[in-house]
Amino acid sequence: MKPPHSDKKYEQAGLRINISKLSDGIHEYEFKVEPRQLDLDKRFNKPLNVNARLDKATNKIFLTSDLETDADVECDRCLNPFLHHLQTSYNVLYTYEDRGITVNDSDDVQVISIDKVYLDLAEDVRQYLLLAMPIKLVCKDECAGLCPTCGKNLNDIKCNCKTEEDR
Ligand SMILES: [Zn+2]
Ligand SMILES: [Zn+2]
């Protein structure tokens, strides 16, 4: 197999890819996005890296998108703020209207019109990032949390309250 044709581009404005004159084959794009452009909540305040790879054929475009950023979060046990590294990826199969494409159940499929000029990744990126955010976040596995009695951060200090075992 010969290596795929690749033209890495740095797209600065938003998360749009012009597909109007895209040749068949592999195309790669790198985006650096400010999270406010994506209307994300305040936990997302660091730049977001998006690496998108398009595999274009006559009747479809397959997107693989890798997302990476740091989120500003709070530990569920000790309430200290910390940065949580987020990394996720997703796929979308864009098919041109009525081309009778067979799809795998696992693919997110979006039908696009034949004269579509831009693929806009913003909304998918936003949703997949939010999905990738764990519900429970702990600053470190061994985080001791807060004392339930005096509220002190037990990572910093050993308080004199009776522990669970003493009761
Ligand atoms: Zn903690
Ligand atoms: Zn205590």
Side-chain angles (χ1 to χ4, degrees):
M1 244 178 77
K2 67 177 180 143
H5 163 70
S6 167
D7 48 351
K8 261 193 195 254
K9 287 174 196 137
Y10 185 78
E11 302 261 330
Q12 215 152 13
L15 271 168
R16 295 196 310 175
I17 298 174
N18 189 327
I19 54 165
S20 60
K21 294 183 183 109
L22 209 58
S23 58
D24 284 2
I26 308 285
H27 304 267
E28 292 186 60
Y29 305 83
E30 289 180 23
F31 301 91
K32 205 173 197 88
V33 193
E34 288 302 321
R36 63 174 182 280
Q37 289 176 258
L38 293 178
D39 198 23
L40 287 157
D41 61 75
K42 63 177 174 22
R43 292 172 302 176
F44 298 91
N45 55 21
K46 304 281 183 290
L48 166 69
N49 295 312
V50 180
N51 285 309
R53 182 178 190 270
L54 293 184
D55 188 353
K56 186 180 181 304
T58 356
N59 49 9
K60 62 184 177 183
I61 301 174
F62 188 71
L63 163 74
T64 308
S65 182
D66 297 318
L67 316 178
E68 193 186 0
T69 191
D70 289 303
D72 228 328
V73 295
E74 209 174 63
C75 176
D76 283 328
R77 281 188 214 154
C78 70
L79 306 180
N80 269 354
F82 70 101
L83 283 180
H84 175 69
H85 188 67
L86 262 184
Q87 202 164 12
T88 189
S89 63
Y90 69 92
N91 298 323
V92 178
L93 178 62
Y94 299 94
T95 70
Y96 290 108
E97 312 168 295
D98 303 326
R99 295 294 185 98
I101 299 284
T102 36
V103 281
N104 294 323
D105 282 347
S106 58
D107 292 333
D108 182 2
V109 181
Q110 297 180 21
V111 178
I112 55 177
S113 88
I114 196 75
D115 49 14
K116 191 170 180 65
V117 179
Y118 289 105
L119 288 183
D120 194 336
L121 310 189
E123 185 54 27
D124 288 332
V125 167
R126 199 178 82 83
Q127 293 195 12
Y128 280 100
L129 260 192
L130 291 172
L131 276 178
M133 196 69 151
I135 294 166
K136 284 245 163 235
L137 285 160
V138 181
C139 64
K140 53 188 178 198
D141 285 343
E142 67 278 18
C143 172
L146 301 178
C147 168
T149 308
C150 70
K152 282 189 175 123
N153 187 339
L154 300 175
N155 297 308
D156 305 331
I157 194 165
K158 181 99 185 78
C159 63
N160 293 318
C161 302
K162 289 197 185 308
T163 60
E164 296 283 332
E165 299 97 73
D166 295 336
R167 274 176 217 166

